[in-house]
Amino acid sequence: MGEERKGTASTQTVTRGKQPATGAKKERGILIPPAWQTLLLPVLAVFTGLVIGAIVIVITDAAVVATYRNFFRAPGTALAATWHTIATAYGALLYGSLGNPREVYEGMRLYLSTGDNTLFLRAIWPITESLVAATPYIFGGLAVALGFRCGLFNIGAEGQLGIGALAAAWVGYSITNLPALIHLPLALLAGALGGAIWAAIPGYLKAKTGAHEVVNTIMMNWISFRLSDWLLNGPMKAPGYRPITPNIEPTAALPRFFPPPIRFHAGFFLALIVAGIVYWFLFKTTLGFEIRTVGANPDAARYAGMSITRSIMLAMVLSGALAGLAGTSQVLGVDHWVGQGFTAGYGFDSIALALLGKSHPFGVVLASLLFGTLRSGATRMQSLAGIPIDIISIIQGLVIVFIAAPAIIRWLYRIRVERAEEVVLTRGWGK
Amino acid sequence: MPLVLELRGITKAFPGVLANDHIDLTLEEGEIHALLGENGAGKSTLMNILYGLYQPDEGQIFLRPRNRSAIPASAASRDGLVEVKIHSPNDAIAQGIGMVHQHFMLVPPLTVAENVMLGLESTRGGIFLDQRAAAQRIREISQQYGLEVDPDAYVRDLPVGVQQRVEIIKLLYREADILILDEPTAVLTPQEVDRLFSTIKNLVKQGKSIIFITHKLREVMEIADRITVLRNGRVVGTTTPAQTTPAELAAMMVGRQVDLVVHKESLTPGEVVLEVKDLQVLDDRQHLAVNGVSFEVREREILGIAGVQGNGQTELVEALTGLRPVIAGEIRILGTPVTNANPRQILEKGVAHVPEDRQRDGLVLSRPVHDNLVLCTYYLPPFAKGINIQEDTIIATASRLVEEFDVRTPSVFVPASTLSGGNQQKVIVAREFSRPVKLIIAAQPTRGLDVGSIEYIHQRILQKRSEGTAVLLVSPELDEIIALSDRIAVMYRGRIMDIVPAKGVNREYLGLLMAGVEASEAAKVAPPTIGVEEVERVF
Ligand SMILES: Nc1ncnc2c1ncn2[C@@H]1O[C@H](COP(=O)(O)OP(=O)(O)OP(=O)(O)O)[C@@H](O)[C@H]1O
Ligand SMILES: [Mg+2]
């Protein structure tokens, strides 16, 4: 992966022979250095996803399809209708997710001149909603990415996220009369710990017995779903009919920066900080070095004296903690309580985000911002342009397919790759 | 003999390296053409181009068409050859070109027949693979060329020599006329090499043409019809065994005179560093692979372990380095028991280990060269302060090592996988030999290296010995063992048959022990020591 490369500025160049001949002719497509491909491919994947999404929007729109019956008589009408539909849909998506810079400017001016902030708040609302949606994605994506780096496929983010949320909610509502300075960190810690413990079980089984983490994390997911059903209908149930927890104390809530309805909260910044920490941990510490080595080549890790057991346990526990924080940020920042079906697939989306972000913390942040934007824009697209929200799921799905199968994108855009970089199935030396 | 292949002006650049620089090469029908050159000279790259794995930046490939009547009148034909473009291995195979890679490309959990069929599954109407027909064809090929192998065996159970036969059968099954063998002998025992050579001779007798890459000058002299030497991506010259000598070839390869004789100063061994007593170790199949082995290695001493590969050497080394459990017996390093200690505890006792399987154990191929150079020391100062990796120090040290050990790489930032096979080995040696250690355990440290690098690594081993390090050298190359060791232990079926002083040792005696003859019996046939001989490094 490109991030371990230090650009081309090398301190030592021990090149033999001359510099590459200039004017070498290229065959069959463009040859792009692998480092650039890691950046380019996701961008093209997203672009292609949007293009196909547009096609789906058009062919599912009966009115537009009708204009094509008369295509030969009035091609202009058909093309205009097509363009109009796509423009309305994606325009609404854009507006719904990012807002309109002009409105922001106007609102800001009004606020500065009269002190009336209603317009300003209305203008920034879409973009803050996108950031709110991105927050749990960042934590979740980081969780799965950290596992990937150690060669672990943590499908259990969903369950860890739910347990983390419940733990955070419990600390949030059951402890009262604490100053926020203690209560909030305590609740965050509880959330992380809940996820960590949930992940530690399959982690331990993997490290000690080799039991596959995919199977065990899936089972832990089911256990967590039933456990939370029980907790929400019993021990943690708030008074009333609905199976939800009581509201957390205000002292446990992540601070918000604007009056309602803007829900933007400090969890977003926390997520960015945590992404930075994960980056530092993975790439700048000995523990991260071990985790990445175990992930890339466990035999070599063992040879070099690293403890595979320890790395797996550590990666799994940290992954769980991050997943726990994903749920926690949502509870303490947005909902303030936990109800049934709380996890809503966040954990599974996290897998996609880790893939899209190439398991790199900063890649995950970018991917999460993209998904958060699509998600929150989709709501607006539905209300403004009448495009079903599921289109976004289709686009997300396509993006994931393209990321998981980069060959499709390479083929579409004629990007050449050197064959010998492909995996060597077995090694000739020894055994 | 008519030409079957001509490469003209082949040029290929990788970021920072010109791997092939206007290379011309011809191949005749029924010829064994040896390709020689130092590590990173561009041999594998050239062959990968011919096999369609890489596209050349410049240059042309001319081939004899498989179907003569198919030559288009307008084609750029010369000596009956036509220009072809080879875009993929499938193209290459269609043109009758097959390649056995330096690192094999078999799928271990599949059978021989399945591996051979892979990629061109013939089905018997419907979706079911026609395994029976394939197995039948494999048997025919085995017969015709004397390549013995069981089509129904699983590849993972086969020794390397047989796996290689599977690779060759794969090519013949695809009806290749031009066979490229990239360092086929690097992983073979001398017996397996002999078998391979008779196979190769058989193949050329039946009209196949062969390009053969190796670092072993003796093999080149024995089997090649013509020899082409590459250096720095360019052809230095083409010659024949009759017109040249190993020393001349070595000089052509590395561009300077290579000292083919090992000069070893005589030293008095010091304290015992490694002590092994009645060691018993199981192999992966739970059979006793090391069966009551005892020996010791002292300071300033090299103990060589000779023996045909697969007689427990691998398991012995793994047990000594903590990678494999010991079921009975004792290992002491500098007097402290380390039986069943973990690899790190053993490393920290001052043990360096050059592993036998460099790509599996020795390197993390996807990671940059600089990380691989600190794979065992990344957590110690100056490479780490607390848990913080000191990247600048690592890069500076790595750059120094790359220069000191002459690792040919555009920079320390490229992934280890982009290095040529021999340079990957040098990365490991650089890492292991640059630490202050008391004991070096080196399993086949010069496998796949060119003569220049072998010379260099031998000097390093001897230098470590002079500095007081104890060395345990495991190698199937008897020449290497005799040239470097102070004492030689011969291993056979998990036992040490005898340990003899290396000075003036009798090869015949060693050969008998390696074949399983008891020491007392062998001594009756051949005395353990005879006169002193100089051993040349022409492996
Ligand atoms: N995929 C690649 N990307 C970048 N550089 C490469 C790649 N493959 C080979 N090289 C570089 O090209 C040069 C020639 O490599 P090649 O593998 O052809 O050498 P070789 O002659 O086969 O050496 P050896 O005897 O060690 O196997 C080396 O410097 C190597 O680092
Ligand atoms: Mg090579």
Side-chain angles (χ1 to χ4, degrees), chain B residues 158-230:
Chain B
L158 300 177
V160 208
V162 183
Q163 287 193 15
Q164 191 169 59
R165 259 175 253 159
V166 178
E167 288 273 21
I168 296 175
I169 289 175
K170 230 165 101 181
L171 308 187
L172 297 171
Y173 189 89
R174 287 159 175 71
E175 297 174 344
D177 296 322
I178 298 175
L179 279 73
I180 306 168
L181 308 178
D182 194 352
E183 292 193 38
T185 56
V187 291
L188 301 184
T189 63
Q191 289 78 356
E192 287 172 325
V193 171
D194 289 343
R195 282 201 64 158
L196 176 70
F197 281 4
S198 66
T199 304
I200 289 180
K201 285 176 187 152
N202 227 327
L203 287 166
V204 291
K205 224 177 280 163
Q206 305 194 34
K208 309 278 180 196
S209 310
I210 288 174
I211 302 181
F212 179 88
I213 301 180
T214 183
H215 288 296
K216 298 178 185 168
L217 304 176
R218 183 172 292 165
E219 293 175 355
V220 175
M221 299 302 284
E222 179 184 336
I223 199 167
D225 295 316
R226 273 196 304 159
I227 307 165
T228 292
V229 181
L230 298 187

Side-chain angles (χ1 to χ4, degrees), chain B residues 315-377:
Chain B
E315 287 79 8
L316 172 65
V317 168
E318 286 178 353
L320 295 178
T321 48
L323 293 169
R324 190 177 279 278
V326 169
I327 58 166
E330 198 184 18
I331 305 169
R332 283 169 179 268
I333 291 174
L334 291 166
T336 352
V338 291
T339 322
N340 285 324
N342 68 39
R344 174 144 304 169
Q345 289 165 338
I346 291 174
L347 282 174
E348 289 183 344
K349 285 266 173 303
V351 177
H353 175 197
V354 178
E356 180 183 312
D357 189 335
R358 62 175 169 232
Q359 295 208 332
R360 193 194 64 183
D361 297 328
L363 293 168
V364 186
L365 288 174
S366 57
R367 295 274 285 281
V369 170
H370 63 72
D371 278 359
N372 277 292
L373 281 167
V374 295
L375 201 61
C376 304
T377 44

Side-chain angles (χ1 to χ4, degrees), chain B residues 14 17 19 39-45 54 102 183 215 418-422:
Chain B
F14 290 112
V17 204
N39 298 123
K43 306 177 294 292
S44 297
T45 304
Y54 291 141
Q102 197 165 357
E183 292 193 38
H215 288 296
T418 66
L419 265 56
S420 76

Side-chain angles (χ1 to χ4, degrees), chain A residues 100-419:
Chain A
N100 183 336
R102 197 188 164 81
E103 283 176 18
V104 177
Y105 171 73
E106 296 289 338
M108 180 70 104
R109 226 177 47 170
L110 188 73
Y111 174 59
L112 291 179
S113 56
T114 67
D116 176 4
N117 63 4
T118 38
L119 263 188
F120 175 66
L121 293 181
R122 194 176 304 157
I124 63 165
W125 183 74
I127 193 160
T128 59
E129 274 304 288
S130 293
L131 298 182
V132 167
T135 304
Y137 279 150
I138 297 178
F139 286 115
L142 289 173
V144 180
L146 200 138
F148 278 155
R149 286 284 173 178
C150 193
L152 297 167
F153 195 176
N154 181 10
I155 300 193
E158 186 84 3
Q160 293 145 21
L161 192 145
I163 297 295
L166 286 169
W170 183 73
V171 170
Y173 73 73
S174 64
I175 306 176
T176 47
N177 295 326
L178 267 186
L181 220 55
I182 300 174
H183 200 182
L184 174 59
L186 207 60
L188 288 169
L189 200 69
L193 210 62
I197 290 171
W198 214 247
I201 298 166
Y204 180 83
L205 291 173
K206 166 88 178 186
K208 287 291 175 201
T209 70
H212 206 291
E213 77 278 3
V214 166
V215 176
N216 286 328
T217 50
I218 290 176
M219 296 206 295
M220 292 303 286
N221 278 348
W222 289 107
I223 298 173
S224 82
F225 299 155
R226 295 294 88 85
L227 180 67
S228 63
D229 282 352
W230 175 71
L231 288 173
L232 291 172
N233 283 296
M236 291 179 74
K237 186 167 179 289
Y241 298 107
R242 293 168 59 202
I244 60 172
T245 66
N247 263 332
I248 58 166
E249 294 288 311
T251 46
L254 281 159
R256 294 182 177 181
F257 303 99
F258 302 99
I262 294 186
R263 304 188 292 173
F264 182 68
H265 58 89
F268 178 72
F269 298 112
L270 188 65
L272 293 185
I273 293 169
V274 169
I277 295 175
V278 171
Y279 172 78
W280 168 79
F281 174 79
L282 276 176
F283 298 107
K284 305 290 172 192
T285 70
T286 53
L287 299 171
F289 191 99
E290 284 165 15
I291 284 179
R292 286 182 299 130
T293 307
V294 169
N297 184 350
D299 286 315
R302 215 163 80 84
Y303 154 87
M306 300 173 189
S307 164
I308 296 185
T309 323
R310 188 176 81 165
S311 288
I312 288 180
M313 272 309 286
L314 187 64
M316 213 49 203
V317 164
L318 290 177
S319 177
L322 289 165
L325 280 177
T328 304
S329 71
Q330 195 66 4
V331 174
L332 304 183
V334 180
D335 300 336
H336 296 165
W337 48 267
V338 177
Q340 258 172 342
F342 163 86
T343 53
Y346 274 123
F348 296 124
D349 283 352
S350 303
I351 298 166
L353 290 160
L355 287 173
L356 186 55
K358 295 274 171 197
S359 299
H360 192 285
F362 300 154
V364 167
V365 169
L366 290 178
S368 304
L369 289 173
L370 175 76
F371 270 38
T373 310
L374 287 176
R375 274 274 164 237
S376 77
T379 326
R380 187 63 162 239
M381 187 167 79
Q382 186 165 32
S383 60
L384 279 188
I387 307 288
I389 220 164
D390 306 316
I391 284 290
I392 293 304
S393 301
I394 294 178
I395 294 174
Q396 285 181 352
L398 287 168
V399 170
I400 293 162
V401 168
F402 293 145
I403 291 295
I408 304 176
I409 289 295
R410 290 210 182 96
W411 170 77
L412 265 176
Y413 297 96
R414 303 283 182 274
I415 297 173
R416 205 150 59 81
V417 64
E418 297 285 9
R419 293 295 180 86

Side-chain angles (χ1 to χ4, degrees), chain A residues 4 6 12 15-16 18 280 284-286 290 293 297 299-300 302-305 418-419 426 429, chain B residues 12 16 54 103-104 106 232 323 344 353 357-358 360-361 363 378 387-389 391 399 431-432 447:
Chain A
E4 285 164 15
K6 278 279 179 142
Q12 275 292 330
T15 314
R16 309 283 303 202
K18 325 182 291 238
W280 168 79
K284 305 290 172 192
T285 70
T286 53
E290 284 165 15
T293 307
N297 184 350
D299 286 315
R302 215 163 80 84
Y303 154 87
E418 297 285 9
R419 293 295 180 86
T426 193
W429 298 101
Chain B
K12 176 76 188 177
Y54 291 141
H103 303 109
F104 297 166
L106 297 171
N232 291 343
L323 293 169
R344 174 144 304 169
H353 175 197
D357 189 335
R358 62 175 169 232
R360 193 194 64 183
D361 297 328
L363 293 168
Y378 64 95
I387 62 163
N388 279 294
I389 293 260
E391 221 165 50
S399 306
R431 175 181 72 216
E432 296 303 307
R447 176 155 72 181

Side-chain angles (χ1 to χ4, degrees), chain A residues 23-45:
Chain A
K25 54 175 185 283
K26 300 273 175 274
E27 284 182 69
R28 300 225 300 188
I30 324 153
L31 184 59
I32 295 172
W36 283 103
Q37 285 199 16
T38 40
L39 292 178
L40 186 64
L41 290 181
V43 173
L44 288 177

